[in-house]
Amino acid sequence: MKILLNVLMNGLTLACIYFMVACGFSLIFGLLRTINLAHGSLYLVGAYVGHDLGVRTSSWVLGLAGGALAAGLVGALMQVVLLRKTEGDNLRQALLTVGFSIVVADLLLWHYGAATYQFDLPAAVAEATDIPGVGPYSTIRLLVVAMAVLVGLALWLILRFTKLGMAVRAAVDDRVMLAALGFEVRSLYLVIFVLGALVCGLAGVVGGSVFSVAPGEDARFLLSSLVVVIIGGMGSLPGAAMGALLVGFSEQLGLAYFPNYAVTATFGLMVAVLAVRPHGLFGRA
């Protein structure tokens, strides 16, 4: 029973990281209808920059903020230089962002090499916390759960109760009418794209703190965020949360009890959901 509880806690931690990555992807893909297959690169940029700043300043918190800002800056440049000129052309967006992700991955590999980097965590979160029924459990993993809840709540409040959120929801339904009402739609799209990139960079630092920072993590988290968003539904934060929980638990339970079929369990879950709900659990046509 104790082993099962540890596996479930690990699944919850993994789900929270997937949720933060998928939040950014859901904002960009689900709300803006922008195909961004370089989303994993934003995760990796945030992780590497956060690690560098953490080492230079001896502050994990500054690394957290710097990694998020670096990913936001790269996202802004990508949206203005590459994606703004290809709005509505999904094929060109897909090709451009795939090429961009390859370039970023090679640049990071050239600069940092193929080594695996570990974050130096503050003493307060580097130790273990005793949980009844589970025993000592990594404090940084518990912090990840709290951060994911705060990120999800903040994004939900922004989209639900602010003028920015109302404009975004209106743009999803009728962009032309929103522009006719005087809103600068391109600037709105840029803000949402940067917000999604910031959250992804934040997830990069958090994920790198729990696991490690290494080449190839961009592809892993891009694929996982795609599966999460497809299961949960495009543009839905509750859907991203539910999809992340399902994927995180299925991965960890699969690795613990039937490791040879762990990957097929995740994609089998996606197929099962789409067979019943073609637009995802919380998606709409």
Side-chain angles (χ1 to χ4, degrees), residues 37-238:
L37 297 182
H39 196 67
S41 299
L42 300 176
Y43 174 93
L44 206 55
V45 167
Y48 275 119
V49 172
H51 178 270
D52 266 6
L53 283 176
V55 170
R56 294 175 185 276
T57 62
S58 300
S59 172
W60 181 76
V61 175
L62 287 178
L64 195 69
L69 290 174
L73 177 61
V74 173
L77 292 173
M78 190 189 336
Q79 204 277 337
V80 172
V81 176
L82 294 179
L83 298 176
R84 180 170 290 183
K85 300 176 182 178
T86 60
E87 290 178 1
D89 192 339
N90 291 341
L91 180 58
R92 290 182 68 191
Q93 287 179 346
L95 292 174
L96 280 172
T97 51
V98 166
F100 183 81
S101 68
I102 293 172
V103 171
V104 170
D106 284 346
L107 288 174
L108 292 174
L109 182 62
W110 166 73
H111 187 268
Y112 292 99
T116 298
Y117 293 87
Q118 299 287 341
F119 276 81
D120 291 326
L121 300 175
V125 298
E127 299 178 354
T129 300
D130 191 59
I131 302 176
V134 178
Y137 194 74
S138 173
T139 304
I140 183 63
R141 288 177 176 264
L142 298 177
L143 181 62
V144 168
V145 176
M147 290 180 64
V149 171
L150 291 176
V151 167
L153 181 61
L155 290 176
W156 180 76
L157 290 173
I158 290 172
L159 293 175
R160 184 69 179 173
F161 297 107
T162 65
K163 186 177 180 180
L164 172 65
M166 288 186 286
V168 169
R169 286 183 279 122
V172 171
D173 293 326
D174 196 333
R175 173 182 174 177
V176 176
M177 180 59 71
L178 186 67
L181 292 173
F183 285 86
E184 180 55 51
V185 177
R186 283 194 164 184
S187 299
L188 175 67
Y189 276 24
L190 176 61
V191 170
I192 294 300
F193 198 98
V194 170
L195 181 60
L198 283 169
V199 175
C200 189
L202 182 69
V205 180
V206 171
S209 301
V210 173
F211 303 114
S212 60
V213 186
E217 291 294 289
D218 51 343
R220 172 193 172 187
F221 281 95
L222 172 64
L223 181 59
S224 298
S225 63
L226 271 171
V227 173
V228 167
V229 171
I230 290 171
I231 290 175
M234 300 294 180
S236 171
L237 290 179

Side-chain angles (χ1 to χ4, degrees), residues 230-231 246 264-278 280-281:
I230 290 171
I231 290 175
L246 291 173
T264 59
T266 300
F267 288 97
L269 174 66
M270 182 177 68
V271 171
V273 169
L274 293 181
V276 179
R277 298 275 300 177
L281 294 175

